[in-house]
């Protein structure tokens, strides 16, 4: 059934946009792809049929996108793009429903259920009767920071506006209806973003070439059918930017109000958007737009800041700013470079500030207070959520910047590289939606996968700003250098792919060598018993020093370098271990971690065995 | 060694890379953007070599990437000239015929290349010309020597074909190139890839029965089939009976001569792929072949079977009972 619907969808897509010879040629190509697909199916005989279907569907969507970019006889409008997005998102909903709502999602849904069934925000009875909840989650408990009422009511710290929006969908079809509501907003987001680009003078060819990277690439595609306020927020943001750019207050004010109501932190975006308002009544509008959401929140939830504190905006540690700032761009698990590389073009557009479309400048200025308040927070990476959670709202403006850069200098090599990576990310996220959530361990999935394959530390190749590693330092310096270099020097694009191949080879060879620092919970370590510390689903796990706990008789092996190293550990009572054939006695620690000097006689695979007692091993640094 | 390379095709990765770069630069005349895009097949090949430890998946990955580059060129090249067509044909022949072979008879290959280029020269310059030339070179075994005439015969016929197509040639080329790591099997028995089902060989038997000889064998508990092939039977017709299993006749549709698909034997062989092939792929590139073992299902609940070689087999022919399979 699903395959029949997919075939119907893929026949419908070209009929929407192609005409004449382009349509005939594409339909012939369409038939050929099924024949090739059948051949590949026969050759590979995939064990995971669902994964194979997702791979095939995403590759076909990519092929359609390439054809759309290059076709000569095309009927193209923002509405047609919206229809294409709607068809694709219908399948995204089905894909995302393979996983139960996670992160904040089930709590938003619980609020909707409470509003519909009890006409209140008290979730006490919802938590008591999770078996009848559309969340499908029976393991839910109130989140950290959820307020309690004077009569024992259990409220949620999440803003209630998104749950209110979801009420019609929920009443119609439960969880699928809720996801369809979000997908509907995502479809509108695609349309309005294309309208934004058209307003700013981006030509049709550019929009056609790039729109799939926006609509069907991360992060939008991963939030398009999930219960987060990010996609509705992006829609409100793009409408607000258009309203200000076109000086249409009737368009801008509702959008800004919508934005502020969705999430109280989005009020920060409103502030700098209103400041760019070309009107003498600016201060009045500012007050209205900022105060109404806060006032409504105060009335509904009793707290204008909905569990947030103004102290969050006051961080004096410069290092935290640096970590968050570069992390948003470069982190292997949560940064733009690895999770949505296409948008780096939008970042690059900042270097051509004056030449960029006015809406881009308005949007970027509007985002500044939000970004400045976000980067020093410990949770800059988004916590337990799909990647790029906190900056998804700005993607339409980054897309505009990227499109302007494309129109200006056609960086084909970069866009092809970004597109290939995006295809991989999309396949991965749709086939395994639960993997969109990743513990903040400092690793990412590609690093973990390669580490598991080769039992060597590939994760150290990927910059981590959550558990800062040397690659993060190198990447930060390289990022600034490359941005400045590219601003003034034009690299022959024909060299990009070969250089990338060479870099991959060098990285591969380097990763096979033992690392200077071994993180014991990482995927490259072969664990024979023991357990992850702190446990996987510990709330705000990134605040803890994590590691691997071994009890007597358990062991782990890993690649290490010969010579002296410092072994960092925590142990409630003294423990005895054996490493590389030598025995060490580890004194007990209290709350803190201690380090023990160890000596390895050879470079290669060594085994650490716990002989007596129990200890949690954090890392081992070569000296 | 930069990469964990285990097969001759892996070791030929630098050569494949050079071919892909050549394909990319053939697109340069129309539009430089396309060259930059096609060149990304190079990091993809490296990524494939790193990410897929299973050789079968990895080599198929190479095939898919090469197909993407090659067929991408069909759309990317805006102005079709003899140079473009010849370049693509040479690149395709290099992938399909020259890769990972233990021994290449240069003069035979030169003749085939000349024939293929002749096809390109006489046809209208388009993807179709490349595909016809490539398919001809692909299906020309080169042994016996008279088969070297095939490309020239095709060139004579192609002279009159002056049509221009893209999608159909791209499809045919894709089918050929996806399987380039085992192009010998693809050229001489492509149905193997779709008909062979994996089975585990459990008890080797290794009997070679002379005409009229027979054996009785105890069947292991979990055996489901027995793999049987023939020897010195390449000239036997497909309906010829090679032997019996519990009285049931086994024809050369059920099994084949063990080495019939090897390049020197294939042209003169009357055998084709067995109905249910039990052979395995041996070798890589154009030298790759599949042995002619057929999978013969065992009678239900059989504990002992009787296998007999047909008394009318040629004197030097043998019925080879290879192994029980799960």
């Amino acid at each position: 059934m699903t395959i029949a619907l997919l075939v119907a969808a893929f026949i419908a897509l070209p009929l929407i946009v192609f005409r004449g010879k382009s349509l005939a040629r594409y339909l012939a190509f369409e038939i050929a792809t099924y024949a090739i697909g059948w051949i590949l199916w026969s050759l590979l005989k995939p064990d995971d049929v669902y994964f194979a279907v997702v791979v095939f569907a995403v590759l076909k969507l990519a092929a359609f996108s390439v054809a759309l970019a290059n076709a000569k006889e095309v009927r193209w409008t923002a509405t047609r793009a919206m229809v294409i997005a709607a068809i694709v998102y219908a399948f995204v909903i089905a894909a995302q429903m393979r996983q139960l709502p996670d992160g904040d999602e089930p709590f938003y849904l619980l609020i909707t259920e409470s509003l519909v069934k009890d006409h209140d925000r008290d979730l006490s009875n919802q938590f008591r009767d999770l078996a009848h909840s559309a969340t499908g989650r029976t393991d839910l408990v109130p989140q950290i920071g959820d307020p309690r009422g004077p009569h024992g009511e259990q409220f949620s710290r999440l803003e209630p506006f998104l749950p209110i929006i979801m009420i019609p969908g929920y009443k119609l079809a439960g969880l699928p209806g809720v996801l369809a509501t979000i997908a509907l907003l995502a479809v509108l987001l695609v349309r309005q973003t294309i309208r934004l680009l058209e307003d700013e003078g981006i030509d049709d060819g550019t929009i056609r070439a790039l729109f799939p990277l926006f609509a069907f690439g991360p992060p939008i595609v991963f939030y398009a059918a999930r219960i987060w306020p990010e996609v509705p927020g992006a829609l409100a943001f793009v409408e607000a930017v258009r309203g200000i750019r076109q000086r249409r207050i009737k368009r801008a004010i509702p959008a800004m109000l919508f934005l502020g109501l969705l999430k109280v932190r989005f009020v920060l975006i409103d502030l700098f958007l209103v400041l760019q308002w070309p009107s003498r009544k600016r201060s009045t509008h500012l007050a209205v737009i900022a105060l109404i959401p806060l006032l409504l929140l105060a009335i509904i939830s009793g707290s204008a800041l909905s569990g947030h504190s103004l102290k969050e905006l006051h961080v004096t540690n410069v290092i935290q700013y640096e970590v968050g700032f570069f992390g948003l761009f470069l982190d292997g698990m949560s940064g733009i470079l690895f999770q949505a590389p296409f948008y780096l073009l939008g970042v690059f557009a900042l270097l051509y500030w004056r030449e960029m479309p006015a809406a881009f400048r308005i949007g970027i200025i509007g985002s500044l207070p939000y970004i400045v308040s976000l980067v020093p927070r410990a949770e800059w990476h988004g916590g337990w959520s799909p990647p790029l959670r906190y900056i998804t709202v700005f993607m339409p403006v980054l897309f505009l910047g990227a499109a302007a850069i494309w129109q200006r200098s056609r960086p084909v090599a970069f866009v092809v590289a970004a597109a290939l990576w995006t295809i991989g990310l999309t396949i991965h996220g749709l086939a395994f939606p639960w993997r969109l959530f990743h513990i903040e361990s400092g690793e990412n999935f590609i690093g973990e996968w390669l580490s598991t394959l080769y039992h060597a530390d590939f994760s150290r190749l990927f910059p981590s700003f959550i558990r800062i590693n040397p690659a993060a330092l190198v990447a930060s310096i390289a990022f600034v250098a490359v941005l400045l270099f590219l601003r003034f020097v034009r690299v022959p694009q024909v060299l990009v792919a070969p250089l990338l191949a060479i870099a991959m080879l060098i990285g591969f060879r380097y990763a096979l060598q033992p690392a200077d620092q071994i993180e014991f919970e990482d995927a490259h370590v072969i664990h024979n018993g023991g357990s992850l510390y702190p446990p996987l689903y510990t709330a705000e796990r990134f605040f803890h020093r994590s590691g691997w706990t071994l009890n007597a008789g358990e062991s782990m092996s890993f690649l290490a370098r010969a010579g002296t190293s410092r072994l960092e550990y925590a142990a409630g009572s003294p423990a005895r271990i054996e490493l590389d054939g030598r025995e060490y006695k580890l004194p007990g620690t209290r709350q803190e971690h201690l380090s023990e000097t160890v000596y390895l006689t050879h470079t290669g695979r060594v085994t650490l065995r716990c002989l007596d007692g129990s200890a949690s091993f954090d890392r081992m640094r070569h000296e | 060694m930069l990469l964990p390379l285990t097969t001759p095709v892996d070791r030929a990765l630098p050569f494949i890379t050079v071919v892909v770069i050549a394909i990319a630069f053939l697109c340069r005349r129309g539009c430089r953007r396309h060259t930059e895009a096609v060149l990304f097949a190079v990091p993809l090949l490296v990524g494939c070599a790193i990410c897929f430890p299973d050789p079968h998946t990895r080599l198929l990955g190479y095939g898919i990437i090469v197909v993407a580059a090659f067929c991408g060129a069909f759309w990317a090249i805006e102005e079709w000239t003899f140079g473009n067509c010849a370049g693509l044909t040479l690149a395709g022949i290099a992938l399909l015929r020259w890769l990972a072979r233990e021994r290449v008879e240069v003069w035979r290959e030169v003749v085939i290349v000349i024939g293929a280029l002749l096809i390109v020269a006489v046809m209208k310059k388009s993807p179709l010309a490349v595909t016809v030339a490539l398919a001809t070179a692909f299906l020309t075994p080169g042994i016996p020597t008279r088969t070297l005439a095939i490309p020239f015969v095709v060139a004579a016929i192609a002279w009159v074909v002056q049509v221009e197509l893209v999608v159909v040639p791209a499809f045919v080329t894709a089918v050929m190139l996806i399987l380039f790591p085992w192009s010998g099997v693809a050229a001489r028995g492509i149905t193997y890839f779709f008909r062979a089902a994996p089975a585990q060989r459990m008890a080797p038997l290794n009997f070679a029965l002379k005409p009229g000889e027979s054996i009785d064998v105890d069947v292991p508990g979990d055996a489901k089939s027995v793999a049987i092939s023939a020897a010195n039977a390449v000239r036997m017709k497909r309906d010829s009976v090679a032997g019996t299993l519990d009285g049931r006749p086994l024809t050369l549709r059920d099994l084949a001569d063990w080495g019939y698909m090897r390049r020197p034997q294939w042209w003169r062989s009357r055998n084709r792929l067995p109905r249910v092939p039990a052979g395995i792929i041996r070798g890589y590139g154009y030298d790759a072949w599949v042995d002619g073992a057929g999978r013969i299902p065992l009678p239900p609940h059989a504990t002992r079977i009787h296998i007999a070689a047909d008394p009318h087999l040629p004197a030097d022919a043998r019925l080879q009972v290879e192994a029980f399979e799960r």
Side-chain angles (χ1 to χ4, degrees):
Chain A
M1 178 64 179
T2 309
I3 291 177
L5 287 173
L6 264 177
V7 172
F10 278 116
I11 291 171
L13 294 183
L15 293 175
I16 294 166
V17 280
F18 295 143
R19 288 292 176 273
K21 268 191 179 177
S22 293
L23 178 62
R25 191 175 271 196
Y26 187 83
L27 289 176
F29 172 78
E30 178 77 8
I31 294 164
T33 56
Y34 289 116
I36 294 282
W38 177 78
I39 290 168
L40 286 174
W41 188 281
S42 308
L43 293 173
L44 285 166
K45 299 182 176 69
D47 297 327
D48 187 344
V49 172
Y50 179 78
F51 177 68
V53 170
V54 169
V55 171
F56 184 65
V58 173
L59 290 179
K60 271 186 69 69
L61 186 61
F64 169 75
S65 303
V66 172
L68 181 62
N70 293 297
K72 292 187 171 69
E73 293 164 90
V74 184
R75 279 194 185 170
W76 176 255
T77 61
T79 305
R80 285 174 193 272
M82 181 180 78
V83 175
I84 290 170
I87 291 170
V88 174
Y89 289 163
F91 291 95
V92 175
I93 292 174
Q96 298 293 341
M97 282 192 66
R98 292 186 82 216
Q99 186 209 11
L100 292 174
D102 207 343
D104 286 350
E105 294 177 283
F107 300 97
Y108 279 116
L109 192 50
L110 281 186
I111 300 172
T112 304
E113 287 182 333
S114 183
L115 291 172
V116 170
K117 292 178 179 170
D118 314 334
H119 309 294
D120 63 20
R121 289 179 58 247
D122 178 15
L123 302 182
S124 308
N125 52 335
Q126 267 69 37
F127 281 116
R128 279 197 299 272
D129 188 24
L130 288 169
H132 293 98
S133 167
T135 60
R137 296 276 303 266
T138 52
D139 59 338
L140 295 176
V141 291
Q143 291 180 290
I144 295 172
D146 277 354
R148 291 196 75 94
H151 307 293
E153 299 97 330
Q154 179 64 62
F155 297 115
S156 171
R157 62 184 169 80
L158 301 172
E159 290 81 348
F161 192 55
L162 184 66
I164 291 170
I165 295 171
M166 298 188 311
I167 287 174
Y170 176 79
K171 287 188 114 173
L172 279 173
L175 178 61
V178 166
L179 298 183
T181 306
I182 303 289
L184 189 64
L185 294 170
V187 164
L188 288 172
L189 167 67
V190 170
R191 184 186 186 280
Q192 297 312 94
T193 303
I194 289 175
R195 293 288 297 125
L196 171 75
L197 267 65
E198 288 171 349
D199 293 345
E200 296 303 310
I202 305 294
D203 63 80
D204 268 3
T206 298
I207 297 173
R208 275 191 284 128
L210 301 184
F211 119 91
L213 288 165
F214 172 77
F216 310 134
I220 298 298
V221 76
F222 295 146
Y223 282 96
R226 302 202 75 108
I227 311 168
W228 298 84
E230 317 309 322
V231 156
L235 173 62
F237 179 63
V238 77
E239 277 305 278
V241 169
R242 287 184 72 208
I244 290 173
R245 171 78 171 105
Q246 296 165 4
R247 305 187 177 197
R248 289 165 68 180
I249 193 164
K250 285 180 185 171
R251 179 191 288 271
I253 284 188
M256 283 192 269
L257 281 174
F258 186 89
L259 194 59
L261 286 167
L262 274 172
K263 203 78 191 162
V264 71
R265 54 189 157 84
F266 289 159
V267 172
L268 289 171
I269 305 173
D270 284 341
L271 295 180
F272 266 43
L273 283 179
V274 177
L275 285 180
Q276 300 175 79
W277 190 251
S279 157
R280 289 182 183 172
K281 294 180 181 172
R282 206 160 47 191
S283 53
T284 316
H285 293 147
L286 182 64
V288 168
I289 289 164
L291 287 178
I292 286 181
L294 300 179
L295 198 65
L296 280 173
L297 269 174
I299 293 168
I300 295 170
S301 67
S303 163
L305 296 178
S306 191
H308 290 274
S309 159
L310 287 174
K311 284 181 186 169
E312 289 174 18
L313 301 177
H314 180 68
V315 180
T316 51
N317 190 341
V318 178
I319 296 292
Q320 278 177 259
Y321 278 96
E322 284 179 27
V323 168
F325 178 77
F326 284 112
L328 281 180
F329 292 122
L330 303 171
D331 186 75
M333 192 195 92
S334 321
I336 291 176
L337 175 62
F338 290 98
Q339 298 300 337
F342 165 68
Y343 293 97
L344 280 183
L345 270 189
V347 177
F348 187 61
L350 292 169
L351 299 179
Y352 295 91
W353 183 255
R354 287 185 182 179
E355 299 159 44
M356 285 299 109
F360 175 78
R361 297 199 298 267
I362 291 168
I364 293 295
I365 292 171
S367 69
L368 279 179
Y370 177 92
I371 296 286
V372 170
S373 72
L374 169 66
V375 288
R377 288 179 58 191
E379 217 193 24
W380 57 265
H381 42 76
W384 191 247
S385 68
L388 304 173
R389 170 189 176 185
Y390 286 134
I391 52 173
T392 297
V393 68
F394 304 122
M395 290 304 156
V397 163
L398 285 178
F399 179 50
L400 172 61
I405 289 290
W406 171 267
Q407 193 166 259
R408 186 179 185 279
S409 49
R410 301 260 175 217
V412 176
F414 174 82
V415 170
V416 172
L420 290 172
W421 191 257
T422 300
I423 289 169
L425 288 170
T426 307
I427 290 171
H428 182 255
L430 294 181
F432 313 107
W434 52 91
R435 290 196 192 163
L436 292 171
F437 298 79
H438 193 281
I439 58 166
E440 298 84 3
S441 61
E443 294 191 278
N444 64 3
F445 270 109
I446 181 85
E448 284 176 342
W449 182 47
L450 290 170
S451 295
T452 309
L453 272 183
Y454 291 97
H455 296 301
D457 189 1
F458 278 78
S459 292
R460 69 188 146 130
L461 297 179
F462 298 93
S464 173
F465 293 81
I466 295 168
R467 184 184 68 194
I468 294 173
N469 60 7
L473 189 65
V474 173
S476 305
I477 295 167
F479 179 62
V480 175
V482 167
L483 274 186
L484 293 177
F485 181 76
L486 291 179
R487 175 68 179 83
F488 301 106
V489 180
R490 199 176 171 88
V491 179
Q493 292 198 52
V494 80
L495 293 179
V496 174
L499 288 176
L500 183 63
I502 291 168
M504 287 166 71
L505 283 172
I506 293 170
F508 177 75
R509 294 307 304 175
Y510 175 73
L512 290 178
Q513 308 303 316
D516 279 343
Q517 183 168 310
I518 290 110
E519 302 282 352
F520 289 112
E521 79 269 33
D522 281 5
H524 70 95
V525 177
I526 302 171
H527 300 107
N528 297 311
S531 56
L532 184 69
Y533 176 82
L536 190 64
Y537 294 111
T538 304
E540 297 181 329
R541 193 175 178 278
F542 49 88
F543 281 123
H544 301 265
R545 278 186 75 166
S546 52
W548 195 265
T549 302
L550 290 183
N551 297 307
E554 295 169 340
S555 66
M556 52 192 171
S557 75
F558 46 88
L559 293 176
R561 292 179 58 192
T564 308
S565 294
R566 301 286 296 174
L567 179 66
E568 296 178 20
Y569 72 99
S573 56
R576 201 156 55 85
I577 61 162
E578 184 191 77
L579 178 62
D580 194 22
R582 292 178 183 223
E583 208 174 298
Y584 299 89
K585 284 181 181 166
L586 305 179
T589 62
R590 290 171 188 274
Q591 295 294 319
E592 80 279 23
H593 278 64
L594 289 182
S595 66
E596 175 76 19
T597 303
V598 293
Y599 186 78
L600 303 181
T601 52
H602 72 288
T603 295
R605 184 157 294 279
V606 295
T607 301
L608 190 161
R609 191 182 310 280
C610 184
L611 300 175
D612 198 15
S614 165
S616 177
F617 298 94
D618 182 9
R619 61 173 70 105
M620 192 170 88
R621 289 178 200 271
H622 188 263
E623 291 195 327
Chain B
M1 195 75 77
L2 280 169
L3 291 164
L5 307 175
T6 55
T7 70
V9 178
D10 289 308
R11 288 191 283 277
L13 202 54
F15 178 73
I16 300 170
T17 304
V18 169
V19 172
V20 166
I21 291 172
I23 294 168
F25 278 87
L26 285 172
C27 307
R28 204 172 172 82
R29 184 173 295 184
C31 177
R32 220 173 52 189
R33 285 191 294 147
H34 295 137
T35 303
E36 290 151 8
V38 173
L39 275 174
F40 271 88
V42 177
L44 284 178
L45 284 169
V46 174
C48 193
I50 291 172
C51 293
F52 297 111
D54 170 46
H56 180 74
T57 312
R58 186 173 62 245
L59 299 193
L60 263 180
Y62 295 159
I64 292 167
I65 293 164
V66 164
V67 164
F70 203 98
C71 295
F74 279 5
W75 276 278
I77 293 173
E78 289 172 4
E79 189 189 338
W80 285 88
T81 61
F82 176 75
N84 285 336
C85 291
L88 279 179
T89 304
L90 280 175
I93 290 175
L95 289 167
L96 290 171
R97 292 192 64 97
W98 302 342
L99 212 72
R101 285 178 66 180
E102 288 172 7
R103 199 166 63 88
V104 177
E105 300 96 331
V106 176
W107 73 271
R108 288 181 201 269
E109 296 304 318
V110 169
V111 173
I112 290 169
V113 165
I114 291 170
L117 294 182
L118 189 64
I119 294 170
V120 168
V122 300
M123 286 184 74
K124 188 177 168 83
K125 307 299 169 281
S126 77
L128 182 63
V130 175
T131 301
V132 171
L134 212 50
T136 307
F138 181 60
L139 296 173
T140 302
I143 299 175
T145 306
R146 65 176 181 274
T147 60
L148 294 175
I150 293 172
F152 299 92
V153 173
V154 172
I157 298 166
W159 195 293
V160 293
V161 180
Q162 295 296 325
V163 293
E164 201 173 333
L165 295 170
V166 180
V167 175
V168 174
F171 172 71
V172 175
T173 306
V175 174
M176 287 190 287
L177 281 177
I178 279 177
L179 295 166
F180 85 85
W182 308 280
S183 54
V185 180
R188 298 187 284 275
I190 193 166
T191 50
Y192 172 81
F193 293 103
F194 309 109
R195 278 157 56 184
Q200 193 183 345
R201 290 199 170 185
M202 45 186 286
L205 295 168
N206 298 333
F207 291 108
L209 305 179
K210 290 178 186 171
E213 269 189 350
S214 65
I215 50 161
D216 290 287
V217 197
D218 289 331
V219 177
D222 49 350
K224 291 188 176 139
S225 58
V226 57
I228 303 179
S229 63
N232 300 322
V234 284
R235 297 295 297 161
M236 286 177 68
K237 290 183 179 170
R238 297 199 72 202
D239 289 323
S240 311
V241 175
T244 57
L245 190 157
D246 282 354
R248 197 181 73 191
L250 303 173
T251 68
L252 285 189
R253 288 184 187 275
D254 300 311
L255 51 100
D257 181 87
W258 196 76
Y260 86 98
M261 203 190 279
R262 279 191 282 212
R263 201 161 67 101
Q265 272 85 41
W266 188 70
W267 190 261
R268 68 187 196 95
S269 170
R270 289 176 174 172
N271 296 177
R272 287 293 174 266
L273 197 69
R275 197 175 279 142
V276 185
I280 55 171
I281 297 178
R282 293 156 197 275
Y284 292 92
Y286 207 65
D287 284 343
W289 58 284
V290 172
D291 65 75
R295 180 166 298 140
I296 315 295
L298 294 169
H301 314 299
T303 53
R304 193 172 174 78
I305 53 169
H306 177 78
I307 302 173
D310 191 84
H312 306 296
L313 282 176
D316 59 343
R318 299 288 182 271
L319 186 70
Q320 303 182 137
V321 186
E322 297 188 6
F324 282 116
E325 294 181 327
R326 275 196 187 96

